[in-house]
Coordinates of all heavy atoms in Angstrom, one line a residue:
C365 N 4.1 -53.1 27.6 CA 5.3 -52.3 27.8 C 5.8 -52.3 29.3 O 5.0 -52.0 30.2 CB 5.0 -50.8 27.4 SG 6.4 -49.8 27.6
C368 N 6.1 -48.4 30.7 CA 5.0 -47.5 31.2 C 3.8 -48.4 31.7 O 2.8 -47.9 32.2 CB 4.5 -46.7 30.0 SG 3.8 -47.7 28.7
G372 N 1.4 -46.1 27.6 CA 1.9 -45.5 26.4 C 3.1 -44.6 26.7 O 3.0 -43.7 27.6
C373 N 4.3 -44.9 26.0 CA 5.5 -44.1 26.2 C 6.3 -44.2 25.0 O 5.9 -44.7 24.0 CB 6.2 -44.6 27.5 SG 7.0 -46.2 27.2
C376 N 7.3 -47.9 23.8 CA 6.2 -48.6 23.1 C 5.5 -47.8 22.0 O 4.5 -48.1 21.5 CB 5.2 -49.1 24.1 SG 4.4 -47.9 25.1
Ligands
ZN247 ZN1 5.4 -47.9 27.1

Side-chain angles (χ1 to χ4, degrees):
C365 182
C368 62
C373 70
C376 57

